[in-house]
Structures are given as structure tokens and as C-alpha cells.
Amino acid sequence: MPRPEISRDRSTISRTMRILLFVFAILIPLSPSLLSAQFEGRTYAITGARLVTLAGEVIENGTIVLRGGLIEALGTDVSPPADAVLVDGESLTVYPGFIDAFSQAGLVLPEGDEREYAGNIADRLATEHFDPASEDLADFRKQGLTSALLARSDGVFAGQAVLVNLMGEGLSSMTVRAPVVHVMGYQGQRGYPGTLMAVVAYQRQTLIDAAYHDLLQTRYRQSPRSMARPPAEPNLEALIPVAGGEAPVMAIVKVENDFKRLRNLASEYNLQYWIAGAVEAFRVPDLIRDAGVPVLVSLDFPSPNEVTGYQFDRAFKNLSEEEKDALDERDEAAIHSNPGAVFEAGVPFALASGGMSSIGNFLKNLRLAVEAGLPAEEALKGLTINPATIFGVADVLGTLEPGKIANLTVTHGDVFTDEEAWIAHVFVDGRKETFEKPKPPAAGGSGAAAGSWTVAISFGGESAEGTLDLTQEGETVTGELSMEGMTTEFEGTFSAGTLELKGSVPDMGSITLTATIEGDEMNGSIGLGPMGTADFTGTRDPGEAAEERRVGR
């Protein structure tokens, strides 16, 4: 997003300020220096916080200073610079920014009849389909994730993964390392290879073709006059280091037999490899241990009936309901223990979101993994220094040290063990985003959101009023916020008393509205990305109560 020019003449409102007015109409009187600080990622100092550096002892009641997108200083004897924006760190813990080790964050791939063939696209980067302005990125940051290894999961040789930061002005500024590793999977294609058997054969043939193409190129370079010039094959040329065992390939595996297929392929062709996904690693711990390769284990927990062996354990056994429930509980516990099983195998490991249908469950599943046996301190390493080391970026990410990229995850409470804890802030390349404590569902919150609401928004000591008109069908809600004669549209859901809406503002990006509704009262906040959050309250206008009761039923 272009950096807004903030005039110090308050009678002159920049175009960007008019766009912001489009949302809440109250930023005009705010300090220009405050606005520029949010957008420019200027100097910050978090004071009185607990600093978990992973580069030494935990620093209690310390200060960390960020300047120009980098960590400038940290410690108990660090004084905030005069030009720093101060962030009160009381009750907060500062970690190195969490890294999503295998992710589809912000990837927008054609689907259905438009699905792209991805049998061998090894010369292409995953970021070809990355949308830096995707509204989904805010959901990842809300889980504390500041960086992600982007990898397509829809191919056989599915291109090359790229490590990006999850907030910035565009792909070039968000890219940390490109490429990082080649990607391979077991996903059938439209046409050949369309079946699993065909995919396995295609993997082998492609590796043979890459090695042969390397041989032809080498011979031609040595004696170009004695042979026909080899045709250009970018996809095969990209795989030459993989086929030659000189560079790793990240293999996306899902079920138990995928591990065995990968092991056999790697043994046959002398491959270096990483394992990604690995949601059934708990079924093959010896294989994982013997392979000794990095595992990027997803916190995507499948249902017990999706796991290998489910039908075998239950078929033709005339089990009682109690026996079936006991088996389900056993399998669910094993699924939650999967990250811990990878750690116990003694291999390099990192934690990831790859395959998750809802990123909002990431921290919840992280806590389930810790509860099931993954040590909390190892879970932290699996989100920070471990992936940074595996990806070859430990010199700039993974710990809190001066000179490293200013990616920070700041929590209120212990997000590894306490379900009441939450992400208070994230800093990405020194840019700050703040999140409010999640509000519990309103008591008895089964009423509806539909109606016309008189709302008030407060930000930076200023406030403004407007109207929020909501329409509800089932749990789906659409709405229009009107202020100062200008409007913005929202859509989202209302469930269990909680309203969650998203909207978009030109040149600013996505904004979110989260509120709880109890009767005719609404309380919540509007998330404004790098601008922070604004308090939000509302009262349903008279005459709407009957509509609320009708839709609620």
C-alpha cells in the first residue's frame, strides 16, 4: 500500500485520510505523527515486558527497541529512545515472530474447471498466486504468525516454496527468501497423472527425465559441435539439483502410506528431502526416526474417521456405543499427540498450518498438542528458531537479537497452555498490529443481528456516530456502515452471540468488525490493520426488536 502523505495542516485532508473517513470518520483530528508511525513502521519501544529471546536467558521486565524494521536493542538496561512510540509491556510476553512452516496463506489458486495443471511446474514460485492484499493474512497474524513458507499443495512437482512476511506493501517487500525448497506431492491432476498409481510413476519418470536432461546439457557444453542442441526444458532444469541429490525436495504427505512411498522413492533415487503435513506421523514413528529428515508437521487435526485404520478397527466387530466412543477417544488423543510424536522421534521439526480449513483453530490446536505431550518450550522452538534454521534464515529470524528482522509475537498470557491467553500485538518488519482480547459470547446470545443500529466508534480519544444496517439469513450477515454520508459494506457471520464481519477499503485493505450482541446492545471493536483497533458500540433502533425475535427463531 502506498505510504500516505499526512499533512500537518489539518484543513487539508489527504486522499488517504478521506478513505479512512469512509470507515469511521474520526481520524481527521488525530495527530499526524501517530498515523505516520503506524504506516512507516517507525521506532517502537516495548517496555516492562517479559522477553523470551531464545538466544539466552529469558529477560524479565525488559525493554526491546525496534527501528527501521530491525531489532535495535533489548535488555533490562535499555532506555527507550526519545523518538520511540512506547508500548506498555506490563503483563505481556514478547517472542520471536511465529513462523508458519508450511502454509497456503494468501494463495489464490484457480479451482473447478479453471484448475491449473500442476504435474511438473518446478520452475515456478508459489508466490505467482500469492495475494499480498488478501484479507486472510490478518487471520494468520491474529494467531501470532508473522512469516510463512508458502507452498502449493495441488501438484506433483508443484514449484518452489517461498518464505514471506505476512504484512507489507507488496510481494517484493514481504519476501524473506525465494526460493527456499522444491515441493512435491501426491495430488492427482486433471488428465495424466490422474490417479495415485499414475502420480507415483510420474514422480519416478520425471526424476529420470531431469537426470537425463542434465546429462545431455553437460555433454553439449563439453562438445557442442558433436551433437544436436538439447531443447530447453525449464521444468526439468529446475529439478536437476533435486534429481542429483544436491538439493532437498519438500514432500507433502498426508496418510501413512505416503510416508512409505516417499521413503522408497528417496532410497531409489538418493534424494534429500523434507516432510511436510505429516498428520499421520504418529502411525510411523520408527520411519520418521530412521529417516532423520526435517518434518514440518501441520496442526491440521483430521477427524478420527479420516485416519488410516479407522474402518479396520471397527468393521464387523459388533461394537457397543461405549466401545465405539472409547475408540474415538483413543484415536483423537493419538491425533493430538502427532506433533509430540514427531518431537520424540528426535528429528528437526517445525509447526505449520498447511491443510487447515480454518486458521482460527491454530492456537487452539497448538494447545491441544501441548496438552497431548509436546513440551511447550519445544512448541515455541517449532514456531521460531527451528523453522528459521531449516529454511536457512536463522541469521535474520527465529530469535530476539539486535540486527534481526523486527518480527515479534506479543502475547497476553501463555498461548501454549492457557486458553484465556491471546495475541496482543504482532510486529512484522517493524510494523505493528494490535488485537483486543477476544470477547466471550454474550450470555444467552442466541438472538439475531438484523436491524438498524445506531453505532459509536472511538479511536485515539476521538469518537463519531453513524448507522449500521444489518441483514441476516441463517448465520450469514451482510451490512452497510454509514458515517458522514459515506458507506462501506461488510459481510460475515453471527453465531453464539458473536458478530464477525469483514469489509474492504480502497488503498487501505481489509478491516474487521467483531462484536457481541446481547438483546439490543452491541459491543466490540473494528480492526484497522496497521492502524490498530477502534472501540465499537451500538444500540438497535426502536422498532427492530420484533424483527430480531423473528429472525432469531
Side-chain angles (χ1 to χ4, degrees):
M1 183 186 68
R3 182 182 301 168
E5 294 293 330
I6 306 300
S7 172
R8 293 190 179 274
D9 179 359
R10 297 198 179 185
S11 64
T12 303
I13 305 175
S14 69
R15 179 173 180 270
T16 301
M17 293 296 285
R18 291 197 298 271
I19 292 171
L20 293 174
L21 178 63
F22 187 78
V23 186
F24 45 82
I26 60 175
L27 287 185
I28 296 174
L30 289 184
S31 164
S33 62
L34 174 60
L35 294 176
S36 62
Q38 298 290 344
F39 280 98
E40 293 178 6
R42 62 178 270 188
T43 305
Y44 287 94
I46 306 175
T47 62
R50 182 172 182 263
L51 310 180
V52 182
T53 69
L54 293 182
E57 297 296 323
V58 173
I59 300 174
E60 303 290 350
N61 196 27
T63 293
I64 182 167
V65 177
L66 316 178
R67 185 189 299 274
L70 301 175
I71 298 173
E72 182 176 84
L74 70 160
T76 56
D77 57 351
V78 173
S79 299
D83 62 337
V85 176
L86 300 182
V87 178
D88 184 1
E90 184 180 359
S91 302
L92 300 182
T93 300
V94 181
Y95 298 103
F98 292 171
I99 302 171
D100 187 348
F102 159 53
S103 179
Q104 287 78 51
L107 293 184
V108 183
L109 299 174
E111 297 180 346
D113 293 340
E114 302 299 320
R115 181 184 169 190
E116 180 183 41
Y117 177 80
N120 180 11
I121 54 171
D123 62 324
R124 295 167 56 182
L125 298 178
T127 44
E128 285 188 12
H129 290 282
F130 175 64
D131 178 8
S134 171
E135 295 181 0
D136 293 341
L137 298 184
D139 296 330
F140 282 78
R141 296 193 299 268
K142 195 170 185 178
Q143 297 298 305
L145 297 166
T146 61
S147 307
L149 184 73
L150 303 183
R152 294 180 60 161
S153 58
D154 63 336
V156 183
F157 290 98
Q160 302 175 59
V162 177
L163 182 64
V164 302
N165 280 340
L166 294 178
M167 183 162 58
E169 295 183 350
L171 177 58
S172 61
S173 68
M174 296 166 72
T175 301
V176 178
R177 184 179 180 189
V180 174
V181 66
H182 280 275
V183 180
M184 184 182 75
Y186 291 87
Q187 180 63 53
Q189 304 297 300
R190 299 176 64 189
Y192 181 80
T195 65
L196 179 59
M197 182 180 295
V199 166
V200 172
Y202 185 84
Q203 289 173 340
R204 284 172 160 76
Q205 186 61 55
T206 302
L207 291 170
I208 292 171
D209 291 346
Y212 182 65
H213 188 70
D214 183 32
L215 176 64
L216 291 179
Q217 285 187 320
T218 300
R219 286 181 177 176
Y220 185 74
R221 284 193 300 269
Q222 293 172 347
S223 184
R225 290 188 179 184
S226 63
M227 64 180 290
R229 182 178 70 257
E233 296 283 356
N235 292 335
L236 291 178
E237 290 175 15
L239 284 176
I240 287 173
V242 172
E246 299 173 357
V249 62
M250 183 179 80
I252 301 172
V253 301
K254 297 181 180 179
V255 298
E256 177 181 340
N257 281 339
D258 286 347
F259 291 91
K260 299 174 182 178
R261 296 183 185 101
L262 174 60
R263 174 194 59 189
N264 295 340
L265 182 71
S267 176
E268 183 176 349
Y269 291 92
N270 195 31
L271 301 180
Q272 295 186 46
Y273 65 100
W274 305 347
I275 300 173
V279 295
E280 290 191 11
F282 67 93
R283 294 187 60 86
V284 287
D286 292 339
L287 188 155
I288 297 289
R289 184 179 300 106
D290 293 342
V293 301
V295 179
L296 315 179
V297 59
S298 176
L299 292 177
D300 176 30
F301 292 153
S303 299
N305 62 2
E306 299 173 330
V307 174
T308 300
Y310 177 86
Q311 296 296 340
F312 177 82
D313 287 342
R314 293 159 176 80
F316 309 112
K317 295 184 179 179
N318 297 319
L319 299 175
S320 66
E321 289 302 317
E322 291 77 9
E323 290 171 323
K324 292 178 182 178
D325 290 343
L327 285 176
D328 286 347
E329 290 179 8
R330 180 204 67 182
D331 290 348
E332 188 174 73
I335 291 167
H336 294 169
S337 73
N338 190 59
V342 174
F343 165 70
E344 291 294 337
V347 300
F349 88 102
L351 298 174
S353 72
M356 293 186 70
S357 59
S358 173
I359 191 61
N361 290 328
F362 186 83
L363 290 178
K364 173 186 174 183
N365 288 2
L366 175 65
R367 287 188 286 269
L368 289 173
V370 170
E371 185 178 311
L374 176 64
E377 61 274 16
E378 298 300 331
L380 172 59
K381 293 178 183 177
L383 287 169
T384 52
I385 187 58
N386 288 2
T389 301
I390 293 169
F391 302 155
V393 294
D395 55 338
V396 293
L397 290 176
T399 61
L400 299 181
E401 296 180 83
K404 288 196 170 185
I405 295 173
N407 282 9
L408 278 60
T409 298
V410 185
T411 71
H412 190 289
D414 185 350
V415 294
F416 296 90
T417 60
D418 183 1
E419 65 180 13
E420 298 297 324
W422 76 93
I423 304 298
H425 312 281
V426 293
F427 290 81
V428 183
D429 272 323
R431 296 168 181 260
K432 173 175 170 282
E433 184 170 17
T434 298
F435 304 102
E436 296 210 351
K437 179 180 179 180
K439 293 181 171 60
S446 59
S452 182
W453 298 76
T454 298
V455 297
I457 300 176
S458 300
F459 187 88
E462 304 291 337
S463 63
E465 292 188 352
T467 301
L468 178 63
D469 293 312
L470 299 178
T471 301
Q472 181 177 355
E473 183 174 349
E475 292 188 354
T476 301
V477 177
T478 57
E480 187 176 84
L481 176 64
S482 301
M483 284 187 168
E484 300 291 328
M486 289 177 268
T487 61
T488 188
E489 295 181 348
F490 289 87
E491 61 180 13
T493 61
F494 177 73
S495 177
T498 299
L499 179 68
E500 295 183 339
L501 302 177
K502 287 186 177 181
S504 181
V505 179
D507 292 347
M508 179 179 175
S510 64
I511 57 176
T512 59
L513 188 156
T514 304
T516 56
I517 295 177
E518 186 170 7
D520 292 329
E521 299 298 323
M522 178 188 301
N523 290 277
S525 62
I526 295 182
L528 306 170
M531 294 295 299
T533 59
D535 293 332
F536 183 90
T537 60
T539 301
R540 199 191 316 259
D541 291 350
E544 302 293 342
E547 175 70 11
E548 186 231 343
R549 288 192 294 272
R550 183 168 65 254
V551 178
R553 285 197 297 269

